[in-house]
Amino acid sequence: MPIVQGGGYFNWSGFYAGANPGGGAGRESFSATMPGLMTTTSDAIKGFVGGGQGGFNWQFGPWVAGVEGDLQFAHQQNSVIVSGIQLINSMTYFSTLRGRFGYALDEWLFYVTAGGGYGGYQATYNLAGLGGFSETQGLPLLAVGAGIETQVWDRWTGRLEYLYLDSSSVSNTLAIPSGTLAVSKTLHDNVIRTGINYHF
């Protein structure tokens, strides 16, 4: 529980858990290759994110170090038509595990965070004359960001946080009537979310 120490700052040590809503806006780059066609493009991907987080902090004077994990529902989508192919892409969820390091000033905590994670990705390809084809795939993610958190009442704290998510290039192939559709994709995402935590 955050309590005032002799030096005038709050003690952030211990376990906490909470929930958050927010939104994400980024860009997805992808290339598609099939017999007689090769195309590369990128498009914005945006939408709602929300979920829960939990972690543990250690405090040393005004310095705070910790580890945090989260699991987020996401409804970030885009749809683009290129070279006769309609591509509908969705980020359906993501989860991260990150370290946190910050500075406590009175009841405020200013921190940076970094780590890795995993995201769920769904795509539908509508090919002229060949019908629709879908895939579900996971994306490994790099996550870095920063935030600010403050005590709002008793054991409850509120926060505002920014996360940048970056995936490596991931490839997959789909069997289609005319042969094979090969797709590669890369995601860059900016997530801003508010949240509330309870400190045990």
Side-chain angles (χ1 to χ4, degrees):
M1 169 182 177
I3 56 175
V4 177
Q5 298 290 307
Y9 54 82
F10 280 74
N11 181 6
W12 293 85
S13 296
F15 289 100
Y16 64 90
N20 67 81
R27 182 156 291 272
E28 183 182 36
S29 302
F30 46 87
S31 62
T33 304
M34 66 180 190
L37 175 65
M38 182 176 70
T39 185
T40 300
T41 188
S42 66
D43 194 35
I45 185 167
K46 57 187 177 181
F48 169 82
V49 301
Q53 71 278 338
F56 189 91
N57 290 322
W58 297 267
Q59 184 160 357
F60 312 94
W63 300 101
V64 179
V67 61
E68 179 175 290
D70 60 19
L71 178 60
Q72 302 288 130
F73 165 78
H75 188 65
Q76 294 181 257
Q77 291 184 319
N78 67 18
S79 178
V80 62
I81 298 176
V82 56
S83 301
I85 305 176
Q86 182 189 33
L87 303 112
I88 303 171
N89 304 283
S90 300
M91 182 84 153
T92 57
Y93 75 89
F94 67 86
S95 180
T96 69
L97 181 63
R98 294 166 284 105
R100 297 203 311 165
F101 185 73
Y103 186 84
L105 181 63
D106 293 329
E107 73 273 21
W108 296 87
L109 175 63
F110 303 86
Y111 64 90
V112 293
T113 182
Y118 194 78
Y121 175 90
Q122 189 173 45
T124 299
Y125 310 97
N126 294 315
L127 313 179
L130 298 176
F133 304 87
S134 297
E135 64 164 336
T136 300
Q137 195 172 21
L139 296 173
L141 299 171
L142 169 69
V144 296
I148 182 172
E149 190 166 356
T150 186
Q151 186 187 36
V152 293
W153 179 73
D154 194 25
R155 300 189 180 200
W156 294 93
T157 60
R159 66 159 61 169
L160 178 65
E161 184 177 71
Y162 165 78
L163 279 183
Y164 173 71
L165 305 176
D166 192 359
S167 78
S168 57
S169 179
V170 176
S171 300
N172 196 19
T173 58
L174 295 170
I176 61 175
S178 62
T180 299
L181 173 65
V183 180
S184 297
K185 62 186 72 71
T186 305
L187 177 70
H188 310 280
D189 199 13
N190 301 282
V191 174
I192 296 178
R193 56 191 184 179
T194 61
I196 192 164
N197 286 317
Y198 182 82
H199 295 255
F200 298 94

